[in-house]
Amino acid sequence: MSINYPDGRRSKAQQTTAIKRKGSAANRGMQLESLINVANTYYIENNIAVITKRPTPINVVKIDYKKGAKIVDAYFEKQSTTDYNGVYRKVYLDFEAKSTQLKTSFPLNNIYEHQITHLQNVIKHGGIAFFIIEFSTLSEIYVVPAALIIDFIKNNTRKSIPYPTVKKSGILIELSFNPILNYLPAVQKLFNL
Amino acid sequence: MSINYPDGRRSKAQQTTAIKRKGSAANRGMQLESLINVANTYYIENNIAVITKRPTPINVVKIDYKKGAKIVDAYFEKQSTTDYNGVYRKVYLDFEAKSTQLKTSFPLNNIYEHQITHLQNVIKHGGIAFFIIEFSTLSEIYVVPAALIIDFIKNNTRKSIPYPTVKKSGILIELSFNPILNYLPAVQKLFNL
């Protein structure tokens, strides 16, 4: 669940997996998270940015110390902030990645209120806040400013953002060979970095 | 293990606990991590900065879905980067907190090579990187630039940094009432933010 700091072998293995998936099973099974992790490893290795995934928080209830600190009772918790943050061109970045199978809109019910609050705070302190939104059926992945999502939630009663709004306000990530999900050029363009 | 996003009650509770500890048992049992978490909650609530603790990564081996996704076999992993990062005055911050009971030096054996690499990368991309170092026996906590530690490791064979070096190159955090470990003024001074 956690991204390890880059070592060549792991990174290569991850990339190969992602490429195979792309070639064989189209978008089915291609996980947005793993594509972002591969991109982040590439960015660190190639001195482009330092962006890491926050480990999934786990509430540990019981540890068996007789078995070498084996955790025997624990539960996954919701991430209290967002999944990713880091530094790129001296700027603090913070973002969340979400995927939908719908073609006409992006449902807002899987964005949590505390994530919106967190991203608002990030913007307030001069950071860059955005979402990476995948329309998996359309094979399109966008970088969308968090400010747009926040405004939309405040000014609309509907529970999803229409696809044309995402298309107009976000920037489509152009897939490349390495890394496949090279999302930073879209971020750079969107925020004039 | 994870810091939750602030809500008033939790924050108050944490602060009360910390204050009690301070009053009763001097420094014994006062944990550096909880003091930093309380400060971070204060900083978010008071619109000063957004700094969060990365959850402790856990390697999940087995999940029992019959019991509501209960994790029944898992192990703690080493943090692959550092424990804390965030944004303050438009600047990306990244740091690790360490405590020693020694009085004359800070041992380097609990700083991992991948953490040094990570902090070097952070500096390269325009972020601020530092350590919060507690000399628990002396009741002193310093903010020390990561660059100092990195230089020291490269140019010395000894396995610890002498206390006078930390004292000279770092800035002592002055304890306050709320938050107790108000470390950002020291960071600001050290890096001219």
Side-chain angles (χ1 to χ4, degrees), chain A residues 111-144:
Chain A
I111 297 178
Y112 304 112
E113 200 183 325
H114 59 259
Q115 293 183 321
I116 291 295
T117 306
H118 173 72
L119 291 171
Q120 277 178 314
N121 286 333
V122 164
I123 294 167
K124 225 184 278 174
H125 293 286
I128 296 289
F130 57 91
F131 286 84
I132 291 184
I133 293 180
E134 176 185 42
F135 289 92
S136 61
T137 311
L138 301 173
S139 301
E140 290 180 355
I141 306 177
Y142 292 86
V143 174
V144 181

Side-chain angles (χ1 to χ4, degrees), chain B residues 130-132 141-145 169-171 173 183 186-187 190-191:
Chain B
F130 56 92
F131 287 84
I132 291 184
I141 306 177
Y142 291 87
V143 174
V144 181
S169 311
I171 293 199
I173 300 171
Y183 64 91
V187 172
L190 201 58
F191 294 98

Side-chain angles (χ1 to χ4, degrees), chain A:
Chain A
M1 307 300 281
S2 66
I3 181 171
N4 285 313
Y5 229 72
D7 69 49
R9 283 178 305 160
R10 163 134 194 207
S11 157
K12 284 250 174 69
Q14 286 175 323
Q15 284 171 20
T16 309
T17 308
I19 290 164
K20 270 185 193 156
R21 278 181 183 159
K22 194 192 177 193
S24 61
N27 282 299
R28 273 179 307 131
M30 186 195 279
Q31 289 181 343
L32 183 59
E33 180 180 314
S34 79
L35 290 180
I36 293 172
N37 291 346
V38 169
N40 289 345
T41 302
Y42 178 88
Y43 293 146
I44 291 173
E45 286 178 349
N46 291 276
N47 200 17
I48 292 165
V50 179
I51 301 164
T52 55
K53 185 179 182 298
R54 293 182 171 103
T56 305
I58 291 175
N59 181 10
V60 176
V61 180
K62 198 178 169 190
I63 299 171
D64 187 344
Y65 288 102
K66 287 175 195 159
K67 294 182 179 168
K70 176 181 171 177
I71 297 163
V72 293
D73 186 1
Y75 295 87
F76 290 106
E77 288 186 335
K78 275 182 203 161
Q79 189 66 271
S80 55
T81 55
T82 50
D83 272 350
Y84 301 93
N85 72 351
V87 58
Y88 171 56
R89 298 192 171 195
K90 299 192 177 188
V91 173
Y92 175 86
L93 301 183
D94 201 302
F95 65 99
E96 183 70 16
K98 296 288 180 191
S99 185
T100 181
Q101 293 190 307
L102 300 182
K103 292 178 194 176
T104 57
S105 69
F106 172 74
L108 294 167
N109 59 2
N110 55 356
I111 297 178
Y112 304 112
E113 200 183 325
H114 59 259
Q115 293 183 321
I116 291 295
T117 306
H118 173 72
L119 291 171
Q120 277 178 314
N121 286 333
V122 164
I123 294 167
K124 225 184 278 174
H125 293 286
I128 296 289
F130 57 91
F131 286 84
I132 291 184
I133 293 180
E134 176 185 42
F135 289 92
S136 61
T137 311
L138 301 173
S139 301
E140 290 180 355
I141 306 177
Y142 292 86
V143 174
V144 181
L148 174 90
I149 310 274
I150 295 165
D151 281 356
F152 191 92
I153 291 172
K154 280 189 183 160
N155 300 316
N156 290 273
T157 49
R158 57 176 291 176
K159 298 292 180 203
S160 66
I161 299 186
Y163 167 73
T165 305
V166 172
K167 199 178 170 72
K168 194 184 153 198
S169 311
I171 293 199
L172 183 68
I173 300 171
E174 290 179 30
L175 301 188
S176 72
F177 183 71
N178 189 14
I180 293 176
L181 192 70
N182 188 20
Y183 64 90
L184 280 180
V187 171
Q188 189 190 330
K189 207 170 157 190
L190 200 59
F191 294 99
N192 294 312
L193 297 182

